[in-house]
Each structure stands twice: as structure tokens, then as C-alpha cells.
Amino acid sequence: MTSDAKVIPLIAKPLTGEQAAAMAQHAIKKHHVAIMLLHWFNATVWLLQLATGAALIRSPYFRVVPYWYIRTVRGMFGTKANMLRFHITLGVVWIAVFAVYGIFGYRTYLVRQVLQREIRLDRDDLLWLKTRVLNLLKRASHSLPPQGIYNAGQKLFALSVYTMIPIVMITGVVMSFRLISTTAVQWAMVLHFVAVGFVVSGLMIHVYMGAVFPEEKPAFFSMITGMVNELYAYRHHFKWWREVKMQEEAWEEKLGYAAKRPIPAVAAVAIETEQPPEVAISQSIGTHKASLGYRIFRAPTYWPPYVAGAGLGFTLLATFLLIGQGLGASGAFARSVGALVAWIAPSYAAHSASWSIYAASGQSPLINFVVFEMLGVLAGGFVSGWLAGRLKLTTEKGPHISARKRHVLALAGGVLTGLGARLARGCTSGLALSGGAVLSVGGFIFMLAVFGAGFAGAYLTRRYWL
Amino acid sequence: MSAPPLPPSFSLTAYLLVSVILGFFFGFFLERAGFSSARKLTAQFYFKDFAVLKVMFTAIVVAMLGIAYFALLGWLDMSQIFVTPTFIGPQLAGGLLLGAGFIVGGY
């Protein structure tokens, strides 16, 4: 930034190319991680509730989807009662999460986030709406007035959502638990349907703007990374940009002039490109190392995920064709322990409910696909790491915890993982990956639970990894 | 995990050898994707690196389509394929436990 740009402008002026380029590089924080988590949780719930809710409505007056869809979705749950139970349970979880945010984060989320930033329309917002409509109708082509962190269109959507969500929640509870009176339940059905309809009509625009509309791409990514580039903020949310700049300036004054800008800019860009410095060096030296074979097998970079994923997929397919089941991992450990138990205490193992299944065929539990496959996994992983020069003895940990603590946590995590895998009868390989490929419902439920718990709890374990 | 009977055309040695070879490729591709790194695996939960989801769903879709096409062309008897049985409660609870173990332990 040039020195004259130090004075924070009152109105958005046209930028020089140099200024715009510098601002495009500089990221500023837009969303807190708690807000992003809530957003995606809410999005997932809406998706699942709309999918199951639509299949619950059979009445010809209200039905919104074709019968084949209703049959398919009900088929996935087995019975209508199961699907209804799922819909109600998820709804209760949804209400509980919002309640937690509303109660424990009353000031932060309800007052500051929702009331002050998301739904309060000021004079600029009203002018924005008027100009936007006139421009759309081709009655005028005025430039839009400056906007805060959310523009007036977004605020209108938020307003409708925040009005309708309590209605959806209350009517849902009334219907589910048949509260008050039959008449109330009947009214609740209609209101539930209408309120959801309102949200869905806004949701269509919301999803279109976020996922498709090219100018709003930064807004979409800000919901994943929490950051937007300064240029986007300047052009689309000028008043918010100004607010951020004033805060930055206040901080700079507080800290003295020396401790200036670079910190947030670097922190924002350092996403995604976590590569060891050797990579950059090896890429810059000698052409003799640039042969295709070298780049595929010997280069210290990982393969692109879609390439490695396809390789994994073909291996999985071959396993189904040759062996008749998918790939696994935890089974090998369970069988090893089974063999150990049978060796030490044969009569106990033969009569124990959990260990006898492995010895049922009279053969050692170790003479099995998954056990020998696991031996191959060790070899394959070793060879791959060796070719790429990744073999080394080290404790992999986040920068802020000690190796000793990491070891203890690894053991604790391993205990949880092992328990989970045995309870579910499979791990991420045997159940999520292999089960997913043959469309096992349990596989997908397990997968959702794993990632659900991971994303939900990640905030608590951030100190271990970040 | 109840293993299906050995494919009748395989001797036991061939079956175990094929198991090791399939495992070799499994391990190889997992390492190639970066799944040997706990930091890379957990980075997804902080929205920094979605390699895990990308690799996993690519693999699922590839294998799924492969199985569907093989069955369609009559080269594969779908009834011989082991589909992991569904136990909603235990699998939900097990998944939550495993997910918690994942972010604590890293794998």
C-alpha cells in the first residue's frame, strides 16, 4: 500500500491497478470458526430434513415430490416410522445446538451477530434495495450505496430465516409430541409447511448466490476459510472494510508504528500450502530429476488427491472382484488378538461370545484376507514412503505441544478409535470406504458420525494440531 | 467381519498371496495420498486440507461405479459381494467414538 492510502477514505474511490493487486493479496477475517461450524451444521440439517420431510408428506394436497421419491427415501429407512423418528431426532438435535449458541453465546451470537449485524437494516440498506430493484428493472443504473459486513439482500434473507426458524421449531415440537390439542397439531402442520416454504424460497437465492454467482465466490469461500480478500471487502462491503481498517489503525497506534500489517496477511495466505522446503528446492534444481518416473514415484510431494483416490478405488474394486469383500484394517487387529486369546486360553475363547466367532471355521483366525492384506499394507506404505524419501523416525505433532503429550494423546485416541471400530464392526477402511462403495447404509451412517464427531470436536483439540 | 468362502478357483496360497498384493496397493496409495501423516489427516477438521475427503470419496465412487458396471455386464454376481451389515445404533456410536479418537490421536 502506498503511503497516501494510509488515510482511510470515507467513500469508496476507484483504485489504481497496483492498489487493487495489493488488496487482492491481503486477506481479512470475516467469520469466526464457531459461526462457520454452525453454518455448515445448519446447512446439513436443512438438507437432511428437507429430504426426509418431503418424503413424509403423502397427502395429495401438500405433496411436493413424486411418489417414487417417497418410496425411495422410505425404503432407505426401512419404514415410515423409522424415517419419522430420524426426522424428529435430528430436529431435536438442531434445536439443542441453536439453544446452546443462544444461551451460552447470548451476547456474542444473538445480540452482536444476529441483531446488530445480520438483520438490522439502516438507511444505506434501504437505498441499496431500492437501487438494486430499479437497476434490475432497467429503470436506472446508479451505483450501489456502501454496505456493511452483510448487504441488504443478505439481511432480508436473514430476517426471513430468523422469523421462520422459531416457527419451524415450535410447530415441529408441537407435531412431534402432540402438544396442546388436536387443533393445535393440525395448525402446526400447516404452519410448519408454510414456514419451511418461505425459507426454501430464500434458500434457493442464497445457494445460487453462494455457489454459482461468480462475483460472490469470495463470500462462499469465506464460509470455509473464514477469510475474504480485502479487495472484495472494499468493493462489496465498504462500510465493513472501513470498520476493519479503523480497528487496524487503532491497534497500530497502540502497538507503535513498527508492529505493522504483515501478520494478518501472512496468516491468511498460509492456508493449503503446507509443504516442506525441500520440495521447493528440489523443484528448482537439476532437470535430470524432472523425468516423469521421478516426478511420479520419487518426488517428495504427495500425489494429487483425485489421482491417489482413483488408485485406491481401483484397488478396492479389484478386492471386491477377487475376494468378494472390501478392504479393511481393524479386522486384522481384532483377529490377531483373537488368535492370541485362543492360544493362551483356548476353552475361554471357544465359549466367549466375542472371540468364538473368529475360530468358528476351525481354522486359525489369522488365515484370512484382512490379516494378510494388512501385511501388504505395511509393505506398500513402506515402499511408497521410501521411494519418496519420506522415511524417518519422528513424532508428528502440532507446533504447540510436547512430543510426550502427543504420545499420551495418541494412545488415548487409539483407545477411542479401537473401541469405536469394534462397536461399529469396522473402521474407516472396512466400514466407511468398503461399505460406502457397496452403498451399505451402516457405512454411510458410520462415515457421517466419524466426520460429524471430528468436525464438532475439532475446536476442543485445536491446541494439539494448530 | 464374516469372511465369505474362498473363491472356489483359488488355492489357499493364491488367496493369501492375492490378499498381500491387494494390501500392498492399498498401503501404497494411502501413503501416496499423504494418509501416513496425522497432521495432514487432521488438517481437514480445521478446513485446511480436504485431501482425506477427496481421496476417500474418489475411491468410493470409482469402486462403486466399477462394481455397478461389472454387475451390469454380467461379470460379477452381486449376491456374492459382502455388504457390511447395518446396525444403526452401534455404528452411530462407534463412529462418534472413532471420530473423537481421530481428532485426539490423529489417525
Side-chain angles (χ1 to χ4, degrees):
Chain A
M1 284 226 163
T2 47
S3 55
D4 56 332
K6 280 262 75 174
V7 183
I8 298 169
L10 268 168
I11 51 162
K13 289 183 226 160
L15 300 165
T16 66
E18 199 181 308
Q19 280 172 325
M23 284 168 86
Q25 288 298 314
H26 181 205
I28 47 185
K29 186 174 169 181
K30 184 167 183 188
H31 301 295
H32 189 266
V33 67
I35 294 288
M36 294 189 280
L37 282 174
L38 185 67
H39 174 264
W40 292 113
F41 167 78
N42 195 28
T44 315
V45 169
W46 271 94
L47 207 68
L48 290 169
Q49 294 293 67
L50 286 175
T52 50
L56 281 169
I57 309 167
R58 248 197 116 95
S59 152
Y61 299 107
F62 289 112
R63 190 169 60 90
V64 282
V65 289
Y67 280 118
W68 64 260
Y69 175 86
I70 298 181
R71 278 195 302 272
T72 313
V73 177
R74 284 188 185 180
M76 284 165 71
F77 286 90
T79 60
K80 186 192 170 187
N82 272 347
M83 186 168 72
L84 184 60
R85 201 173 299 153
F86 173 86
H87 193 81
I88 292 174
T89 312
L90 190 61
V92 170
V93 171
W94 181 61
I95 294 175
V97 169
F98 270 87
V100 167
Y101 271 76
I103 294 165
F104 292 100
Y106 168 74
R107 192 177 290 274
T108 321
Y109 301 123
L110 221 56
V111 176
R112 285 197 199 134
Q113 178 73 18
V114 175
L115 293 179
Q116 293 179 358
R117 297 178 109 184
E118 290 186 13
I119 63 174
R120 199 173 67 186
L121 290 160
D122 60 19
R123 197 181 294 170
D124 280 332
D125 290 327
L126 297 176
L127 187 60
W128 187 92
L129 286 172
K130 190 178 148 200
T131 316
R132 201 89 176 92
V133 172
L134 287 178
N135 286 356
L136 278 175
L137 296 173
K138 304 269 187 266
R139 287 299 179 80
S141 62
H142 299 299
S143 57
L144 295 162
Q147 295 289 294
I149 186 162
Y150 298 105
N151 70 37
Q154 292 169 319
K155 284 181 181 174
L156 273 190
F157 174 61
L159 203 58
S160 73
V161 168
Y162 288 120
T163 327
M164 293 304 153
I165 278 185
I167 299 181
V168 173
M169 287 178 172
I170 293 167
T171 54
V173 170
V174 170
M175 280 154 73
S176 306
F177 305 103
R178 297 182 204 276
L179 302 178
I180 310 169
S181 69
T182 316
T183 319
V185 173
Q186 284 169 337
W187 272 106
M189 284 180 183
V190 179
L191 279 174
H192 197 73
F193 188 77
V194 171
V196 169
F198 264 105
V199 175
V200 168
S201 58
L203 204 58
M204 287 179 189
I205 304 171
H206 178 71
V207 172
Y208 170 77
M209 292 303 269
V212 188
F213 200 64
E215 268 186 66
E216 287 294 322
K217 277 268 135 60
F220 176 73
F221 287 108
S222 76
M223 259 300 157
I224 298 171
T225 61
M227 299 290 193
V228 287
N229 72 64
E230 201 187 328
L231 187 62
Y232 168 81
Y234 187 83
R235 290 200 171 142
H236 296 266
H237 302 277
F238 180 76
K239 283 199 293 191
W240 173 60
W241 175 85
R242 209 165 166 274
E243 224 174 89
V244 173
K245 284 288 130 181
M246 308 262 269
Q247 277 173 5
E248 271 183 22
E249 196 166 74
W251 271 104
E252 275 168 22
E253 265 168 33
K254 231 181 197 173
L255 298 172
Y257 197 61
K260 217 169 61 129
R261 206 150 288 142
I263 304 151
V266 173
V269 181
I271 296 165
E272 194 81 16
T273 55
E274 217 180 41
Q275 282 180 349
E278 305 93 88
V279 178
I281 297 166
S282 85
Q283 276 165 356
S284 66
I285 50 167
T287 46
H288 68 285
K289 284 189 165 182
S291 75
L292 193 63
Y294 176 86
R295 273 188 289 154
I296 293 176
F297 292 108
R298 305 299 305 272
T301 37
Y302 293 124
W303 280 3
Y306 298 115
V307 177
L312 200 58
F314 282 115
T315 311
L316 184 57
L317 176 61
T319 310
F320 273 113
L321 295 178
L322 292 169
I323 307 292
Q325 68 178 77
L327 295 160
S330 62
F333 298 99
R335 283 175 179 277
S336 306
V337 178
L340 194 69
V341 173
W343 182 56
I344 296 171
S347 72
Y348 166 71
H351 296 103
S352 147
S354 55
W355 300 119
S356 60
I357 50 169
Y358 296 123
S361 62
Q363 213 171 24
S364 161
L366 295 179
I367 306 297
N368 178 272
F369 161 72
V370 78
V371 177
F372 280 75
E373 175 235 74
M374 210 53 212
L375 296 175
V377 167
L378 295 178
F382 184 85
V383 168
S384 171
W386 171 54
L387 285 175
R390 281 193 282 265
L391 292 187
K392 65 179 173 200
L393 208 59
T394 175
T395 298
E396 218 199 2
K397 61 183 187 62
H400 299 299
I401 68 166
S402 64
R404 191 194 172 92
K405 193 169 176 199
R406 171 77 177 94
H407 293 158
V408 174
L409 286 167
L411 184 67
V415 169
L416 288 174
T417 308
L419 282 174
R422 277 302 85 199
L423 192 59
R425 282 222 206 167
C427 53
T428 20
S429 311
L431 199 50
L433 187 67
S434 304
V438 289
L439 294 174
S440 157
V441 176
F444 281 99
I445 289 173
F446 177 75
M447 203 185 305
L448 288 175
V450 170
F451 287 110
F455 280 102
Y459 187 68
L460 302 173
T461 58
R462 65 195 185 285
R463 303 243 181 276
Y464 308 152
W465 301 109
L466 297 179
Chain B
M1 200 177 289
S2 68
L6 306 185
S9 51
F10 275 2
S11 72
L12 185 61
T13 323
Y15 170 77
L16 296 179
L17 192 67
V18 167
S19 303
V20 174
I21 292 169
L22 288 169
F24 181 88
F25 281 103
F26 186 29
F28 187 87
F29 288 124
L30 284 179
E31 208 287 333
R32 284 283 130 173
F35 284 18
S36 54
S37 160
R39 287 190 78 187
K40 193 172 170 72
L41 291 177
T42 47
Q44 63 176 324
F45 296 120
Y46 303 99
F47 304 98
K48 289 191 169 174
D49 184 344
F50 283 104
V52 177
L53 289 174
K54 289 174 186 168
V55 171
M56 210 165 134
F57 281 95
T58 309
I60 288 177
V61 169
V62 167
M64 194 191 289
L65 288 178
I67 291 167
Y69 280 117
F70 273 72
L72 189 71
L73 297 170
W75 297 340
L76 174 73
D77 181 2
M78 282 292 271
S79 64
Q80 293 300 304
I81 295 285
F82 172 74
V83 178
T84 37
T86 298
F87 302 95
I88 294 182
Q91 278 162 347
L92 201 60
L96 293 174
L97 268 179
L98 197 137
F102 196 165
I103 47 171
V104 172
Y107 286 101

